[in-house]
Amino acid sequence: MDWLFFFESSIAGLATGAIYSLVALGFVIIYKATRVINFAIGEIMMISAYLFLTFAGILEWHPLIALPLAMLGGGLLGSVTEKLIIRPMLGESPISVVMVTIGLSSILVGAAQIIWGPGPRILPDFLPRAPIFIGELYVSSKIAYSALIAIGLLVCYLIYFRFSRGGVALRATASDQAAAFSMGISVPKVFNYAWFFGSMAAALAGVLVAASGGLSPYSGSMALSILVVVIFGGLDSLTGALVGGLLVGWLETMTGAFLGGEYKMLTIFTLLTFVLVLKPYGLFGTKEIERL
Amino acid sequence: MRIGDAVSTYPSDEAIFRTQTQKVWMGIFIATLLTFPFVSSPYTLFLACLVGIAVISATGLNILVGLTGQISLGHGGFMGVGAYTAVWLADNMGMGLALSMPLAGLLTAAVGVVVGLPSLRVKGLYLAIATMAASVILHFIFVHWEPVTGGNAGINLQNANIFGINLNSDLRMYFVVVPLAIIAVLGERNLLRTRIGRAFIAVRDRDISAEVLGVDLLRYKLMSFGLSSFYAGCAGALWAYFFKVVTPESFPLDTSIFYLAAIIVGGMGTVLGPILGAIFMTLVPEILKILTAVVVPILPNAQVLLSPVRVVVFGALIVGFLLYEPHGMAEMWRRTRRYSHLWPFKT
Amino acid sequence: TAKEDIVFAETALITGVFGFAGGELHEGIVDYFNYTNENGGIRGHKIKHVFEDCGYKVDCSVATFKKLTAEHNPLFYSGDSTGFMKAINPELQATKNTLMSGVSYASELTDETKYPRSFIIGPSYTDQMSILLTYAAKEMPGAKVAIVHSDSGFGRDPIEAGKAKAKELGLDLVEVITTKPGSVDVSTEVLKLRRKKPDYVLFHGYVLTPINEFMQQMKDLGMATKFMGTYWSSSELMYMKAKEVSDGYLGVMHLNYFNMEKSPGKEWDAMRAYNAKVHPDKLTRPNFYMFGWFQGMVWAEVIGRTVDAGKELTVDNLRATLNSIENWDTGGIASVPVTVRNNSIPFGRVFKVNAAEGRYEPVSEVIEIK
Amino acid sequence: METILEINNIEVVYNKAVQVLRGLSLTVPKGTIVALLGSNGAGKSTTLKAVSGLLDIEDGEVADGKITFKGRDVALDSPDKLVRRGLFHVMEGRHVFEDLTVEENLTAATYAKKGGAGARASFALVYEYFPRLKDRRKGLAGYLSGGEQQMLAVGRSLVAAPDLIMLDEPSLGLAPLLVEEIFEIIVRINREQGTSMLLVEQNAALALAVSSYGYIMENGKVVIDGTSDELMKNEDVQEFYLGASGDDGENRSYREIKHYKRRKRWLS
Amino acid sequence: MADDILELKGISLSFGGLKVLSDVSFTVPEGKITAIVGPNGAGKTSLFNAISGFYKPQAGEIFFKGENIGHLHPPKRAKLGLARSFQNIALFRGMTVLDNIKLGAHSHLKTGLLAALFYIGKAQREEMALREEVETKIIDFLEIDHIRNMSVASLAYGLQKRVELARALAIGPQVLLLDEPVAGMNREEKEDMARFILDLNQEWGMTVLMVEHDMGMVMDISDKVVVLNFGQLIAQGTAEDVKNDPEVIKAYLGSGNVSDMRRRLGVEAAGSE
Ligand SMILES: Nc1ncnc2c1ncn2[C@@H]1O[C@H](COP(=O)(O)OP(=O)(O)OP(=O)(O)O)[C@@H](O)[C@H]1O
Ligand SMILES: Nc1ncnc2c1ncn2[C@@H]1O[C@H](COP(=O)(O)OP(=O)(O)OP(=O)(O)O)[C@@H](O)[C@H]1O
Ligand SMILES: [Mg+2]
Ligand SMILES: [Mg+2]
């Protein structure tokens, strides 16, 4: 066995996984607070990447300005989405809300095509290019730096939810809105913040993904992998998002490396099925309370 | 205005069509269906067949998702199983539709039951993704099991017939699809007035209470998966007979989402919902196209310029509909009907 | 007296994953017909062009076919996906009088008995791949080759045939890599290629991404590999979007490019002039536009020749005319003399990206696949 | 006496169609316990929701009338803001956060306080009043028994340290001993923290026992009000709310009702 | 014992480290009303869950008519005639009252999938017979005919409880398990419910096992009372016996004297401020 190749692939896989984790985190935050499964998260990533392209590529602003702006834009998109179409759906069956987000993704895809055209785009280079060698071990620099940035934001989020009341407010709101209100928790605000920060995480990931994978109005479809990630980790678990992301990223890459790309989806979904049968709420998801 | 309907026997109270008016309307509706193909253009006839197939498939998904509450993203994959099976049976066994479709349905039902096995433990979105896993695995099989599925190129249906009649025109297909769609819907409606339909709904509303009250959860969840897949398999078979070719790309994940959208926009858990939803999802894109064509005289390049706008509008329509009436078009229909019955009095 | 209009119908690809190519292609068709009509039509016949957009969805395309066929009874039809071409085949044969071409180069369509009315305006995917492999074998006999293709029906189409061809040409096929289409991270695949050190990497089933990323990462690693790609991967997008990285990239093309150093012929000049007149803002065009233009031109030629021969415009006659086309000089639109064989035009040339100049330059003679 | 809450002639409509309250008025003087009694569906919970602003969530609306809390119209503030101004609503049916642990439930209640942070100290107070919660503080609230959940619901209000607590059927589903306990604690909180209370109850005997003033409502209106002592002596109250048979004032037995009731229904 | 329809022997149940029931044994006499009382969290509902099979006790046996049913799935137990209502109303909100009740009869019906899809002969006859039975026996008895076609979600609380009872009756129970049947009701509704329970017991001869906190009602209508505390059985006997058991008073009943409590708290003083 070629161990060097194994380690190189592993690092690449974990790096991809870190970005998955970031999107998954955004997804989980939104789910935790609002119990909404956001199928449009891929499109939010895509739009944010286009924003970055506009700021950095077309207006030629410095990436250090363009990137936060793109994240802000993604966050605002999430926040506006929440206000306009999620809040009125409160209390409706979760699956109707899912459908609304699917409708939204169609809107965003069309809008991107109208605004930025249908063609594929490449983001301006903003990450260092020189390949990194750790001894013999080669790491693609884009991927490495992307992963570092992603991990940076991940850590910020995790620290916040670990050490502040924010996490409790989020879950309280999700569990019982009326009661959360009666505790003095501003439910609309929690919702809005969740969508804002969740989308912002996705936005950053969107830019990073597009930086190495390119961009088109249909790029959002990569979020399919994210669904797998959050199910692996558990829909409502931040830890799950982190671990699930790394795991899926690594597994996908290893499958690609040793079996071939056509087996990626097959492996992941097969494994997912086994995980679910053993742990129906993913690795870290909370079990739904069932009482009579 | 209509005042309460007096019924004197239990059977008449539980009949599907309880009033004379309803029966008359039904008659008119059937008559319209019968005459429609002779007055329609080939294009609308084609769309009608497409709607018919969609109605069958959506009704099947409604049994699983709407009635039993098990979210599935595997419906497209199930249709694929039905389609491949039907074509294979027709080409290799020389079967006609009358035999190949039910057999395809049965095989799909068996696959559905297997896919449904985790449903006892896995719920909600977790289940949805588990079913999606099934469709990914099915897709892999479609691509790689070359001797049967023809791999990438797919398989062509050479011998499309029913009772020896060649199904080579949309007109003939119409008279196969539409009666089957009616039977499919009636089946679902009948189910709802028996213990099985009630058990499905009980499982959806409160599964564990249902279990304590005597409903065997595994049995009914699997039954629902099986029945729903049977519908999907039959719809897939019809699809294959209609298009005469099946490839791995024929039933992508989008298909599953399409049908989910259809039943949600139409109204989950109702009989009418999947029908309205199937019509909506199939026809709205077409209607939008016609609308764009109207603008052409004013804006010559409209068809090109407005194409992405159509994508936006389609999404916006789904969102708008659900914001306006989260219970779907069936609920809107019910409201209108109630209103018209009470007219001219205000409710 | 004005002669009867000839109807050309089209399922366009303006939205959907291939929208960027489909839109250009559509404009190419539109412009060619307008140009022809403005110049008196084909032997006096004006062309009527009708179309609808379907966004790469089979059932929609079939619906559109039925609708347009019923309303306009077109003589020619331009279809979209391979799935559509297959689904419509029985229907097509049942129509009175329609011949089909489209954006699919699927190898299967070259079977004349199965698809007697469908036609590929160019070499099939298998032929494209063979042309590239032939070129590589000639440039560097026994070279190490890797194939990278997308995991879709389109991406998998020529792979088996390509493997056989590589063997036949004495090339050393060191790796076949499958990836998802679109935006993907390819660093692991690069790791694999880094070990195999191929002389050529041949891409199929992509438009731009992730080809640029492969090239970028492998160049960053200091590898001297040459990159090549089939038709959809040989557009101007390569140097427009991927910039310097694309320098030296090899594409296979049966057409000339919109942007050439010197004019390849009169028709090409006319096309440029017409485009400049109608779309003064479009200074350059991806060759999807040329493809549209060429598609119209082929059918116009077929009509012209049939009329000249004094034959009626029936499918059989048109078909016969089409098959008889041999060494037709397209005035610089096609990069090869057009000869029709097996429902297709199995010729091509290899072009190389000159990134500094921003154009493709021909580097091979016409390569014919038999 | 200073009033903390004043409800003036309010009307409440659900879904723009169902009118539930029809001109209801009541006052809670500062520092006292006021009981609000009434049969099922009279609109008691609706009244509380109208005060705390939770009607919105259920598509209800105060169509007419005015509610003032500490001299300010409640309509001016959002529900969460009201809580921070010192108005705490313990909802009917407990509404604990099932997926949160007991302690996290209390943490959630700290949002009711302006400062927020110092609130953790008050957890000790809660555990002192309800030792059973302390034992289960790491357990998920969803798995608590009904009574424990009720304790938690009241406990959360302690964390919030509000000026007025509105309690909706705190004794629902509680064991007799616990009912007494809860009521004792309610009185203690009222005494020790000076918190005013508006108490909605089915258990009229107890509610009147701990309150100083009571209102009885039927069909969205107050039908009788008076000091608790007066109400307890009222004959109708005794008959319909305290379960005493009209003539001798003794509690009537469930066994003796026999078919009398049902016959009455048949006739009407 | 021949006249004990249900017998629990040494039931122990725990969740993780939490002991919910420990070694609980008692019997339910046939044709009588037995009440289980005990503080909140004592394990009453859990005991019901164990009887109906939703919880699987770690130890102990449950005998129904002399047969060990400990290994049976919940639906099987329902079919045998163990019907129950739930502490937190558990009606199927997507169905009408009538369908909710009919669902109760589920395990006695035989219609198969095919027959159901086509609603042919047998299926139809069976449905009609069921409808007739539900209408005449249950709906009339519980006086809910006016709401039979309403959706349960829109019903008042008291009526919902009654529909739950109706659904339990449709199971065709031999033992009726009622979990807090009158919680949250006012006096009048309680009286109605008590009446129904008594009628079921006396006129239909049904065995009733109920959990209830309203001591007034428990004392008045039950023939036997079982007291649980912290998962342990601390007393059983007639209502009178139990009521005076000091341990029960200490753990569960309290003083039960309102005016006493009033005095203790000194409320009068506050009231007359
Ligand atoms: N969200 C709602 N939508 C429509 N009607 C409602 C809603 N909530 C309550 N109602 C109706 O308003 C009336 C009063 O309800 P409310 O809950 O205030 O009564 P209550 O006095 O608290 O009764 P209970 O003692 O049962 O708690 C009832 O008839 C009820 O059906
Ligand atoms: N599934 C479970 N997981 C963990 N703990 C549980 C579970 N079910 C019950 N418990 C615990 O078991 C104890 C007994 O609960 P149970 O619901 O049986 O009480 P109860 O006697 O019915 O009380 P109440 O009168 O308040 O309804 C409680 O402390 C509860 O938290
Ligand atoms: Mg209430
Ligand atoms: Mg209980």
Side-chain angles (χ1 to χ4, degrees), chain D residues 40-41 43-46 92 168-169 200 202:
Chain D
N40 288 119
K44 306 179 296 291
S45 304
T46 303
E92 182 174 21
D168 200 346
E169 307 209 15
V200 166
Q202 289 290 354

Side-chain angles (χ1 to χ4, degrees), chain D residues 140-160:
Chain D
L140 283 188
Y143 288 121
L144 294 181
S145 82
E148 293 162 338
Q149 291 189 349
Q150 189 67 57
M151 295 180 201
L152 182 56
V154 177
R156 288 191 306 204
S157 72
L158 277 176
V159 172

Side-chain angles (χ1 to χ4, degrees), chain C residues 196-215:
Chain C
K196 297 290 161 71
K197 299 198 174 52
D199 302 304
Y200 295 91
V201 175
L202 198 165
F203 295 102
H204 170 74
Y206 309 101
V207 175
L208 170 63
T209 54
I211 298 177
N212 59 312
E213 201 52 37
F214 270 104
M215 298 194 294

Side-chain angles (χ1 to χ4, degrees), chain E residues 184-197:
Chain E
M185 291 189 178
N186 64 18
R187 176 76 197 187
E188 199 188 348
E189 286 179 318
K190 281 180 183 174
E191 287 176 2
D192 281 346
M193 192 55 92
R195 193 60 259 146
F196 290 133
I197 297 174

Side-chain angles (χ1 to χ4, degrees), chain D residues 40 184 209 229 252 262, chain E residues 189 191 195 199 262 264:
Chain D
N40 288 119
E184 281 184 31
D229 292 317
R252 50 174 192 263
R262 289 174 64 190
Chain E
E189 286 179 318
E191 287 176 2
R195 193 60 259 146
D199 279 356
R262 222 167 134 81
R264 203 167 56 229

Side-chain angles (χ1 to χ4, degrees), chain E residues 44-45 87 179-180:
Chain E
K44 306 178 294 296
T45 301
Q87 182 170 0
D179 200 347
E180 306 204 7

